Amino acid sequence: MSFDLPRNVILPVDAIDVRLDPGPHPFAVENAAAIAENWRGEIEANPALFDGIVVLLSELAYRDRSLIGRCHAVNYSTFMLWRKRRENSGAEHAYAHAVLVAGDNALVAIRMGPRTVSAGRVYFAAGSFEPIDFRDGLVDVDFNMMREVREETGIDLSDARRGVRWHALSTASGTVIFRRYHVDAPADEIARQILAFVATEADPEIEGPVIIRHAGDLPDGLSPHMKPLIEWHFARAD
């Protein structure tokens, strides 16, 4: 199966069957020495980095409006080297976005904090899939979405109204799976809640919220994959 899905187009997704393989990812095995060497340089440049566990894909395909794939748990140090060697690596990255839609239809994204790998970048609160996001070996994408939003912003989306389905956008840099989460509060109120939460954190992951009010409202530092998601939202009512 390898990686077989359309690129650079937003795809409707009715089912997600991405499973966690207990075996090591071939990329981690084949590049063990280079991973260790690269990690020494990474933590020297940014001592705040933590070598936790994330997942990397070894297969992903789009079939009959479904995403079908296999992934493996890897150390973050493996992920950091892969970012530099992703072409022809036999590995890809998938992650999820809860597209936070305020009661006034504005979008609420975040700007990453200065001590993170993505410092200054703007996107929806998100993080790589981790083993905690899997149920009986199958990824629970909505659990990941809500967990990451809560950890980064303090916002609880458990009572939010979800979009009827997921969508996905696959590019050369990875595949983002996204879904609208609608909350009643206006964007300014949500932003105040996020700022209040960030103020309580000893080492916040994000700098703060970013409100996007229309398709042309593109903030500095916007991650490249975000523009088509923003345009998609403001062009669609459902």
Side-chain angles (χ1 to χ4, degrees), residues 20-237:
L20 186 62
D21 187 318
H25 198 296
F27 180 85
V29 175
E30 296 164 7
N31 295 278
I35 289 165
E37 180 181 356
N38 181 70
W39 185 244
R40 286 191 290 270
E42 296 284 0
I43 59 175
E44 183 177 328
N46 186 355
L49 293 179
F50 172 65
D51 198 12
I53 303 295
V54 296
V55 304
L56 270 180
L57 293 161
S58 57
E59 296 180 350
L60 188 65
Y62 183 68
R63 299 280 188 274
D64 300 322
R65 294 169 65 112
S66 297
L67 286 174
I68 305 165
R70 179 172 60 172
C71 58
H72 308 253
V74 301
N75 288 94
Y76 192 64
S77 53
T78 300
F79 177 74
M80 291 297 284
L81 179 69
W82 169 81
R83 280 163 52 111
K84 299 176 179 178
R85 299 186 178 182
R86 65 183 72 197
E87 188 173 352
N88 300 318
S89 66
E92 290 198 11
H93 185 224
Y95 52 101
H97 276 344
V99 177
L100 182 51
V101 183
D104 52 10
N105 201 43
L107 300 174
V108 182
I110 52 92
R111 188 180 300 278
M112 293 301 292
R115 298 180 66 187
T116 65
V117 170
S118 302
R121 283 290 191 182
V122 174
Y123 46 80
F124 298 113
S128 297
F129 297 136
E130 300 176 15
I132 194 176
D133 299 319
F134 289 78
R135 304 287 175 267
D136 298 323
L138 182 67
V139 70
D140 185 337
V141 175
D142 286 291
F143 177 84
N144 168 271
M145 290 176 177
M146 292 189 289
R147 177 179 64 80
E148 291 289 349
V149 170
R150 184 173 59 252
E151 290 177 1
E152 294 184 4
T153 71
I155 300 294
D156 183 359
L157 293 179
S158 56
D159 292 328
R161 178 171 58 86
R162 299 180 188 180
V164 294
R165 63 175 51 85
W166 303 283
H167 288 79
L169 173 66
S170 188
T171 70
S173 62
T175 298
V176 57
I177 304 166
F178 59 98
R179 188 179 211 165
R180 283 190 179 112
Y181 277 73
H182 298 265
V183 298
D184 293 333
D188 287 338
E189 181 178 330
I190 296 170
R192 284 193 292 270
Q193 293 175 17
I194 294 173
L195 286 171
F197 173 80
V198 170
T200 68
E201 294 282 280
D203 187 18
E205 191 170 353
I206 70 169
E207 182 179 313
V210 177
I211 299 173
I212 300 168
R213 299 192 183 277
H214 55 82
D217 185 15
L218 304 178
D220 292 340
L222 189 71
S223 289
H225 72 273
M226 284 285 290
K227 186 174 184 287
L229 272 61
I230 292 166
E231 292 172 343
W232 170 87
H233 166 71
F234 287 108
R236 295 169 59 97

Side-chain angles (χ1 to χ4, degrees), residues 5-34:
L5 65 169
R7 304 293 193 180
N8 303 309
V9 60
I10 291 178
L11 307 168
V13 177
D14 292 331
I16 299 171
D17 186 357
V18 175
R19 298 185 178 271
L20 186 62
D21 187 318
H25 198 296
F27 180 85
V29 175
E30 296 164 7
N31 295 278

